[in-house]
């Protein structure tokens, strides 16, 4: 069990649900564009949003974002204590910094004082691109180097009285990421921000993130997750939701079980499965539905489904809890099932 | 370390590479369509293909498939010992059956004799839709029920002298799948066929399969994998390749590291990353390339990349092993990088 910290009103760690976060891709000082993106992220299920702060205009824009954002805003600042202080004074709910790169002791003290006086939390983290030199020399690009580098940043903040700290140790290599978080989880009770960094485009990035984040969540490691995709950040949120669902960490959703179809499949179950998936993705209701190509696995697999359909040669059978209750011609199966689905969703 | 068995010339288990398999969705007796799909699967990287055998025409078609297929052919038969024998006599390289559902002792003995005399291997398995009644009553829909049910099928075959057996225990629930395979791996040294069953459409199925298969592969569990998607089976093969790569189990490929972009990104790195990903996906060459939005993580993360690019406001920098060697205007960055990439690919 990790400690609990807050980003605005959103608890992270200490038994809180695993939080989904993402990062905007708009210039932060373009507050209209950034707010529009934040609203899309929130609608998709994002719970915490991070914005990059490159300059004073970005730092000052945090105020307008914070005032209008439906989500807590995390300011991401590198190389500048001054910008960190400005972003916090502009109302950032949390900052993502590495004390190691914002200057000397005086600068670090100024930022730490500001964090404490505003009562906000901070994420520090190492990724394979930002390991402190001494750890890189001592350990190479290893889990040890990531963990030591991150914990050194934690120690600096704690020495300055900052304790509400979330930690990350990301690599673009999945096995390295998993090894680093396992090691880190054994050495700290700070909440962990979990992700695979620079995971790539949607197609490969979703797989890398699912394997890495999923393996950790299944072990109980991870308090907030970020899927990094070179794509619209809304896709990151969808992927994160799917990972949480796959790991059994989200219950209020409509699970769609559908078979891959094979030579036994004599109707277009794929088209129906896709339609069903699209229709129910955002629905917050605990329901399990099955779209099965044939009767070999269909009825058995659909036993614990609230609603199911399995195809035959020219007729399809509708199930409730694995029990057939209606037979329809294959040509009418789609319309009949979607009607039953809508009824189940509105019940 | 598991034992080794063969599907045709392809070794499974015992230290062989983790094999990618898929299943055709065409009617098996339509040999032209099925062979066309098998060739597409092989071109995508599939190593073993399974076909559904529903009737005598399907079973006899195995001969023509086997003669022309570039991949070993596994015949998938349920409820009929006669069809199993016919498929084996038609040249199947492996069969997927459950002795529990093909008839009494006499039928099982006939199939086992046929398997032995043809020297082929067999996969048996339980999924949550096919757990034997006694185990379901004793254990419910649990890992124990899946494992006991599968091992009972193994025991039946072993009693009949069949020992080249691959085992699967699939559920549509990822945590249940992972728990079942972990338990199974502790109780047998037969090679394991790993997958999440009825995982759904491409979007959610890839995540569920990546989390489940990935978590197991990272622990060293799994000798052959099947990603089940309600989609073109070629997509299953792509996803399986990506999972193996993410787990560090495939080395000969071009890894594309690309950042998610953020408010710091002043050029269209996403478009370039997607182009690069598409260009290199099938290339068998050990190479690591990075497409980074900005200089915060770019150079550091690209340190171990053979080739990289990071953007600035109006200029981009090209790297080799993290060392900048060329600066180009942002408008020319894409063309310049793709040219360098082609050179690196042809070296």
């Amino acid at each position: 069990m990790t400690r609990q910290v807050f980003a605005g009103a959103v608890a992270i760690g200490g038994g809180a649900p695993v939080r989904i976060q993402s990062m905007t891709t708009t210039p932060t000082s373009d507050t209209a564009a950034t707010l529009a993106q934040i609203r899309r992220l929130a609608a998709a299920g994002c719970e915490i949003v991070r914005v990059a702060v490159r300059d004073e205009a970005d730092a000052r824009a945090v105020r307008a974002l914070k005032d209008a954002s439906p989500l807590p805003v995390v300011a991401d600042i590198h190389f500048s204590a001054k910008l960190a202080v400005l972003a916090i004074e502009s109302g950032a709910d949390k900052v993502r910094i590495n004390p190691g790169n914002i200057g000397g002791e005086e600068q670090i003290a100024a930022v730490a004082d500001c964090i404490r006086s505003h009562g906000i939390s901070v994420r520090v983290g190492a990724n394979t691109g930002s390991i402190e030199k001494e750890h890189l020399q001592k350990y190479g690009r290893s889990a040890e180097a990531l963990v030591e580098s991150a914990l050194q940043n934690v120690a600096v903040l704690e020495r300055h009285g900052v304790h509400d700290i979330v930690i990350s140790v990301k690599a673009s290599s999945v096995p390295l990421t998993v090894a680093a978080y396992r090691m880190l989880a054994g050495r700290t009770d700070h909440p962990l921000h979990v992700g695979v960094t620079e995971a790539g485009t949607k197609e490969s990035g979703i797989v890398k993130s699912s394997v890495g984040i999923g393996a950790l969540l299944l072990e109980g490691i991870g308090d907030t997750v970020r899927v990094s995709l070179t794509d619209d950040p809304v896709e990151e949120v969808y992927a994160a939701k799917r990972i949480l669902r796959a790991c059994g960490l989200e219950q209020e959703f409509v699970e769609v079980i559908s078979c891959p179809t094979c030579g036994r499949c004599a109707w277009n179950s794929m088209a129906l499965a896709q339609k069903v998936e699209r229709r129910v993705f955002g629905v917050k209701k605990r329901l399990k539905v099955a779209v099965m190509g044939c009767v070999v696995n269909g009825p058995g697999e659909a036993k614990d489904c609230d609603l199911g359909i399995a195809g035959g040669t020219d007729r399809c059978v509708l199930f409730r809890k694995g029990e057939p209750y209606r037979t329809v011609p294959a040509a009418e199966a789609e319309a009949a099932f979607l009607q039953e689905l809508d009824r189940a969703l509105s019940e």
Side-chain angles (χ1 to χ4, degrees), chain A residues 53-207:
Chain A
V53 171
R54 298 159 300 173
D55 53 26
E56 280 197 31
D58 284 351
R60 290 186 201 286
V62 170
R63 168 63 55 203
L65 298 178
K66 174 69 190 302
D67 287 346
S69 168
L71 304 178
V73 175
V74 183
D76 185 301
I77 305 119
H78 290 278
F79 315 127
S80 170
K82 191 180 147 201
L83 289 179
V85 167
L86 190 54
I88 297 167
E89 289 176 344
S90 299
D93 294 297
K94 185 180 165 201
V95 284
R96 192 277 182 259
I97 56 166
N98 276 342
N101 77 22
I102 60 167
E105 278 297 308
E106 205 176 319
Q107 279 78 25
I108 296 170
V111 175
D113 285 351
C114 193
I115 290 171
R116 273 190 289 105
S117 67
H118 285 78
I120 65 167
S121 59
V122 53
R123 171 163 68 102
V124 302
N127 60 38
T128 40
S130 72
I131 297 173
E132 315 279 340
K133 215 169 187 177
E134 57 168 299
H135 302 300
L136 199 57
Q137 282 169 348
K138 191 166 171 192
Y139 300 107
R141 287 174 158 255
S142 63
E144 286 83 357
L146 286 163
V147 170
E148 290 294 338
S149 193
L151 289 180
Q152 176 173 311
N153 278 298
V154 171
V156 169
L157 284 176
E158 291 193 317
R159 206 168 61 229
H160 285 92
V162 173
H163 299 284
D164 286 352
I165 303 170
V166 179
I167 316 178
S168 62
V169 282
K170 301 183 185 180
S172 63
S173 153
V174 173
L176 180 53
T177 301
V178 171
Y181 277 102
R182 279 182 184 150
M183 184 180 291
L184 181 62
R187 292 185 55 185
T188 185
D189 65 353
H190 284 291
L192 303 187
H193 165 118
V194 168
V196 176
T197 194
E198 334 293 5
T201 59
K202 189 177 163 187
E203 301 248 296
S204 69
I206 285 179
V207 170

Side-chain angles (χ1 to χ4, degrees), chain A residues 27-52:
Chain A
T28 302
S29 57
D30 182 346
T31 53
T34 303
L35 274 171
Q37 198 173 55
I38 291 174
R39 291 197 184 99
R40 287 174 57 231
L41 290 168
C46 185
E47 295 170 282
I48 298 167
V49 69
R50 183 156 47 112
V51 301

